[in-house]
Amino acid sequence: MSEQKEKLRIDKYLWAIRLFKTRSQAGDACDKGKVKMNGMAVKASRIVCIGDEYEVKTEARKWVVKVSGLLHSRVQYAEAINYYIDLTPAEELDRIRFEAASFHTGKRLSKIGRPTKRERRDLEGFMDI
Protein backbone atom coordinates (compact mmCIF):
# COMPACT_ATOMS: atom_id res chain seq x y z
CA MET A 1 0.00 0.00 0.00
CA SER A 2 2.84 2.42 0.80
CA GLU A 3 4.44 1.75 -2.63
CA GLN A 4 1.16 2.75 -4.29
CA LYS A 5 1.12 6.02 -2.34
CA GLU A 6 4.71 6.91 -3.32
CA LYS A 7 4.02 6.87 -7.08
CA LEU A 8 2.79 10.18 -8.41
CA ARG A 9 2.30 11.26 -12.03
CA ILE A 10 3.68 14.62 -13.20
CA ASP A 11 0.28 15.86 -14.43
CA LYS A 12 -1.32 15.17 -11.05
CA TYR A 13 1.61 16.79 -9.23
CA LEU A 14 1.48 19.99 -11.32
CA TRP A 15 -2.27 20.19 -10.72
CA ALA A 16 -1.87 19.58 -6.97
CA ILE A 17 0.76 22.34 -6.52
CA ARG A 18 -1.56 24.72 -8.41
CA LEU A 19 0.48 25.46 -11.53
CA PHE A 20 -2.59 24.44 -13.59
CA LYS A 21 -6.28 24.85 -12.80
CA THR A 22 -7.27 21.39 -13.99
CA ARG A 23 -5.50 18.08 -14.29
CA SER A 24 -6.45 17.87 -17.96
CA GLN A 25 -4.71 21.21 -18.61
CA ALA A 26 -1.58 19.80 -16.95
CA GLY A 27 -1.82 16.67 -19.11
CA ASP A 28 -2.28 18.75 -22.27
CA ALA A 29 0.79 20.82 -21.38
CA CYS A 30 2.82 17.63 -21.06
CA ASP A 31 1.52 16.35 -24.41
CA LYS A 32 2.41 19.64 -26.13
CA GLY A 33 5.97 19.58 -24.77
CA LYS A 34 5.57 22.48 -22.33
CA VAL A 35 6.86 20.43 -19.39
CA LYS A 36 10.55 19.51 -19.61
CA MET A 37 13.11 17.76 -17.46
CA ASN A 38 16.77 18.29 -18.39
CA GLY A 39 15.67 19.87 -21.66
CA MET A 40 13.62 16.84 -22.72
CA ALA A 41 9.82 16.88 -22.91
CA VAL A 42 8.12 14.51 -20.47
CA LYS A 43 4.90 12.55 -20.79
CA ALA A 44 1.99 13.08 -18.41
CA SER A 45 2.52 9.59 -16.96
CA ARG A 46 6.09 10.29 -15.81
CA ILE A 47 6.64 9.41 -12.15
CA VAL A 48 7.77 12.34 -9.98
CA CYS A 49 10.65 11.90 -7.54
CA ILE A 50 11.85 14.26 -4.82
CA GLY A 51 14.73 16.36 -6.12
CA ASP A 52 13.60 16.44 -9.77
CA GLU A 53 13.69 19.81 -11.55
CA TYR A 54 11.08 20.67 -14.17
CA GLU A 55 10.68 23.59 -16.57
CA VAL A 56 7.00 24.35 -17.01
CA LYS A 57 5.47 26.86 -19.41
CA THR A 58 2.01 28.07 -18.47
CA GLU A 59 -0.05 30.79 -20.13
CA ALA A 60 1.12 33.39 -17.64
CA ARG A 61 4.79 32.56 -17.13
CA LYS A 62 7.63 30.09 -17.29
CA TRP A 63 8.35 28.18 -14.08
CA VAL A 64 11.43 26.26 -12.97
CA VAL A 65 10.42 24.11 -10.00
CA LYS A 66 12.28 21.59 -7.87
CA VAL A 67 10.21 18.89 -6.19
CA SER A 68 10.65 19.04 -2.42
CA GLY A 69 7.73 16.79 -1.48
CA LEU A 70 5.02 14.66 -3.05
CA LEU A 71 1.49 16.03 -2.93
CA HIS A 72 -1.28 13.60 -3.95
CA SER A 73 -4.30 15.89 -3.62
CA ARG A 74 -4.99 19.54 -4.31
CA VAL A 75 -4.70 21.76 -1.23
CA GLN A 76 -4.80 25.48 -0.61
CA TYR A 77 -1.99 27.63 -2.00
CA ALA A 78 -0.41 28.33 1.40
CA GLU A 79 0.19 24.58 1.88
CA ALA A 80 1.00 23.76 -1.76
CA ILE A 81 4.04 26.05 -1.89
CA ASN A 82 5.74 23.83 0.71
CA TYR A 83 5.96 20.96 -1.81
CA TYR A 84 8.15 22.71 -4.41
CA ILE A 85 11.01 25.19 -4.61
CA ASP A 86 10.64 27.95 -7.19
CA LEU A 87 13.93 28.27 -9.10
CA THR A 88 12.60 30.62 -11.77
CA PRO A 89 15.36 32.95 -13.07
CA ALA A 90 15.28 36.58 -11.95
CA GLU A 91 14.97 37.83 -15.58
CA GLU A 92 11.66 35.98 -15.97
CA LEU A 93 10.30 37.42 -12.70
CA ASP A 94 11.33 40.96 -13.75
CA ARG A 95 9.61 40.51 -17.13
CA ILE A 96 6.41 39.43 -15.39
CA ARG A 97 6.48 42.42 -13.02
CA PHE A 98 7.03 44.83 -15.93
CA GLU A 99 4.17 43.34 -17.96
CA ALA A 100 1.84 43.41 -14.96
CA ALA A 101 2.69 47.04 -14.22
CA SER A 102 1.95 48.21 -17.74
CA PHE A 103 -1.09 46.00 -18.30
CA HIS A 104 -3.19 46.80 -15.23
CA THR A 105 -2.92 50.59 -15.15
CA GLY A 106 -6.49 51.07 -16.36
CA LYS A 107 -5.41 53.87 -18.69
CA ARG A 108 -5.08 53.97 -22.44
CA LEU A 109 -1.52 53.41 -23.60
CA SER A 110 -1.69 56.22 -26.16
CA LYS A 111 -3.60 59.46 -26.51
CA ILE A 112 -4.63 58.64 -30.07
CA GLY A 113 -8.10 57.33 -30.82
CA ARG A 114 -11.62 57.99 -29.72
CA PRO A 115 -12.10 60.27 -26.73
CA THR A 116 -13.40 58.82 -23.50
CA LYS A 117 -16.84 59.70 -22.25
CA ARG A 118 -15.40 62.29 -19.88
CA GLU A 119 -13.30 63.90 -22.61
CA ARG A 120 -16.33 63.98 -24.93
CA ARG A 121 -18.43 65.71 -22.26
CA ASP A 122 -15.70 68.31 -21.79
CA LEU A 123 -15.54 68.90 -25.55
CA GLU A 124 -19.31 69.29 -25.85
CA GLY A 125 -19.35 71.80 -22.98
CA PHE A 126 -16.54 73.75 -24.61
CA MET A 127 -18.26 73.84 -28.03
CA ASP A 128 -21.68 74.98 -26.68
CA ILE A 129 -20.33 78.14 -25.11
Side-chain angles (χ1 to χ4, degrees):
M1 183 76 178
S2 65
E3 288 182 27
Q4 182 81 12
K5 202 67 168 159
E6 291 303 314
K7 290 185 178 181
L8 181 64
R9 293 168 50 113
I10 185 68
D11 61 341
K12 188 172 182 180
Y13 177 75
L14 294 175
W15 165 76
I17 64 170
R18 297 182 165 269
L19 292 189
F20 292 97
K21 285 187 178 184
T22 64
R23 188 169 169 189
S24 62
Q25 285 178 345
D28 290 342
C30 292
D31 294 340
K32 292 178 182 175
K34 294 185 178 183
V35 180
K36 296 181 181 182
M37 179 179 181
N38 299 329
M40 300 287 293
V42 297
K43 293 183 178 180
S45 60
R46 173 143 173 55
I47 302 299
V48 177
C49 298
I50 295 175
D52 289 349
E53 288 186 23
Y54 295 98
E55 296 175 23
V56 183
K57 264 190 187 175
T58 62
E59 290 181 15
R61 65 182 267 198
K62 181 180 173 187
W63 297 79
V64 178
V65 294
K66 183 174 183 178
V67 180
S68 62
L70 301 179
L71 185 60
H72 293 274
S73 61
R74 193 168 169 101
V75 294
Q76 60 185 340
Y77 175 76
E79 292 179 33
I81 59 174
N82 297 326
Y83 291 90
Y84 68 92
I85 300 168
D86 190 1
L87 302 174
T88 306
E91 304 89 42
E92 178 70 15
L93 297 175
D94 291 341
R95 184 185 65 80
I96 293 166
R97 281 193 204 107
F98 177 74
E99 284 179 3
S102 65
F103 184 72
H104 295 293
T105 59
K107 298 180 180 178
R108 291 187 295 159
L109 295 178
S110 68
K111 299 294 181 188
I112 307 170
R114 297 175 60 180
T116 63
K117 186 173 184 178
R118 182 178 181 184
E119 293 170 342
R120 204 170 52 245
R121 242 186 276 122
D122 292 341
L123 283 172
E124 288 171 1
F126 178 73
M127 297 290 217
D128 288 341
I129 297 177

